[in-house]
Amino acid sequence: MEVDNQTRVTKFILVGFPGSLSMRAAVFLVFLVAYILTVAENVIIILLIQQNRPLHKPMYFFLANLSFLETWYISVTVPKLLFSFWSMSNHISFTHCMIQLYFFIALMCTECVLLAAMAYDRYVAICRPLHYPTIMSHGVCLHLALGSWATGFGISLAKIYFISRLSFCGPNVINHFFCDISPVLTLSCTDMSIAELVDFVLALIIFLFPLSITVLSYGCILATVLRMPTGKQKAFSTCASHLVVVTIFYSATIFMYARPRAIHAFNVNKIISIFYAIGTPALNPFIYCLRNREVKQALKKLVYC
């Protein structure tokens, strides 16, 4: 353990996925393929939306933002993980750990707000179709997207400020493959009640407020669709992809962070973290493409070209 004159830890050790060389090689290959596929899928979606005029709609504008976010989301953790498989040292400096934690939290918080904006877009499209072009103008969509990014990164900055002020005297071993809130807080040797309180309050705000907007939007959508004499299936199909993504995202996130200090089985944490940090960004493009006719048509056009 490396410490400074005040016995503060200056480096952490990420346990990652220990095991035999063959097992590590197999896990490395799986994560490498998942990373390449995820980045490629999301870049293709961004290019499809940018190059196809029929996709220049609010729904696809938010989808492009989500794909851009997912590309950086997986890039915050996986490259460091892949490097650690073949590195003689799994050290990460305190500063780099805080930076990784900051961007991971920021992108997660941004996704919460962005998914709420996408739910509101579907609400306006189905419940107020005649006013949709006016309400969801380019300026409004731009402000909603920028607001999502600003909110996510602002809340993350407040969280990291209080976490980084904690003292870490040892041990310095993080039983995880990246710097996450629960494993990092566990290693603090000072009173962390304020940091935990700030983290809890901000987590409630960033999760419950967007989730409330999403639930209310889909409640109104359901009530409107049930009153439709025809076209119910078509209306539901425009929301199905987003609803699946929201369900997966909030299920995994709430399981991990609703009670961050209550879960001590960090091996279980690592498995769940793989799902929401790597699996979800890889699945989202498939979910949107497989359930969306316009995206599939644009993709077929690109393949034929």
Side-chain angles (χ1 to χ4, degrees):
M1 178 179 67
E2 298 187 27
V3 294
D4 60 15
N5 292 332
Q6 279 109 5
T7 68
R8 282 179 58 92
V9 169
T10 59
K11 287 185 179 181
F12 294 109
I13 299 174
L14 294 172
V15 174
F17 298 93
S20 64
L21 183 62
S22 59
M23 190 189 76
R24 288 169 64 84
V27 176
F28 170 83
L29 185 61
V30 170
F31 286 149
L32 178 62
V33 172
Y35 179 69
I36 293 174
L37 283 177
T38 302
V39 173
E41 291 164 3
N42 285 290
V43 169
I44 288 173
I45 286 181
I46 294 172
L47 293 177
L48 281 177
I49 294 172
Q50 182 183 15
Q51 298 297 325
N52 289 270
R53 187 166 293 274
L55 300 182
H56 291 180
K57 301 175 182 177
M59 180 173 68
Y60 300 111
F61 171 76
F62 291 121
L63 179 57
N65 272 268
L66 182 63
S67 295
F68 180 76
L69 183 148
E70 300 283 23
T71 302
W72 287 106
Y73 190 56
I74 195 171
S75 297
V76 169
T77 57
V78 175
K80 170 65 178 174
L81 173 62
L82 295 176
F83 178 77
S84 69
F85 277 107
W86 306 111
S87 173
M88 298 300 295
S89 171
N90 289 340
H91 288 159
I92 182 171
S93 68
F94 177 83
T95 301
H96 288 167
C97 182
M98 291 299 105
I99 291 173
Q100 185 184 60
L101 184 57
Y102 169 72
F103 280 104
F104 185 80
I105 296 173
L107 292 170
M108 179 182 290
C109 294
T110 301
E111 186 166 357
C112 285
V113 186
L114 191 59
L115 289 175
M118 296 173 76
Y120 176 72
D121 169 71
R122 292 298 82 206
Y123 156 75
V124 178
I126 295 175
C127 300
R128 305 185 65 184
L130 298 179
H131 299 90
Y132 182 70
T134 304
I135 297 176
M136 299 304 296
S137 63
H138 178 72
V140 171
C141 292
L142 186 61
H143 280 91
L144 286 174
L146 291 176
S148 300
W149 288 92
T151 302
F153 278 75
I155 285 183
S156 179
L157 185 63
K159 283 172 171 274
I160 293 301
Y161 172 77
F162 286 95
I163 294 175
S164 63
R165 291 174 62 87
L166 297 174
S167 295
F168 297 88
C169 312
N172 66 336
V173 179
I174 298 178
N175 187 15
H176 216 306
F177 61 92
F178 69 96
C179 291
D180 203 359
I181 294 178
S182 297
V184 171
L185 286 178
T186 303
L187 299 181
S188 175
C189 58
T190 56
D191 180 28
M192 50 186 173
S193 56
I194 296 179
E196 284 187 317
L197 179 62
V198 170
D199 178 63
F200 178 74
V201 171
L202 292 179
L204 281 180
I205 294 173
I206 197 62
F207 286 134
L208 292 185
F209 184 68
L211 182 59
S212 299
I213 294 176
T214 302
V215 171
L216 287 174
S217 296
Y218 276 106
C220 295
I221 289 171
L222 180 62
T224 301
V225 170
L226 291 178
R227 291 197 300 266
M228 289 180 176
T230 58
K232 294 181 180 180
Q233 184 176 358
K234 182 179 179 181
F236 275 126
S237 66
T238 62
C239 305
S241 300
H242 179 260
L243 190 57
V244 171
V245 170
V246 167
T247 303
I248 293 174
F249 175 80
Y250 276 105
S251 297
T253 305
I254 291 174
F255 178 83
M256 284 296 298
Y257 296 109
R259 296 176 62 191
R261 296 301 309 280
I263 302 173
H264 295 288
F266 286 113
N267 288 327
V268 176
N269 279 14
K270 283 194 282 189
I271 295 174
I272 302 299
S273 297
I274 291 172
F275 179 74
Y276 73 76
I278 300 174
T280 302
L283 286 175
N284 285 352
F286 280 111
I287 295 172
Y288 276 105
C289 289
L290 291 176
R291 300 287 302 179
N292 192 292
R293 184 185 57 175
E294 290 178 309
V295 174
K296 287 192 290 186
Q297 288 176 347
L299 189 58
K300 288 179 181 178
K301 181 179 177 182
L302 176 65
V303 172
Y304 290 148
C305 292

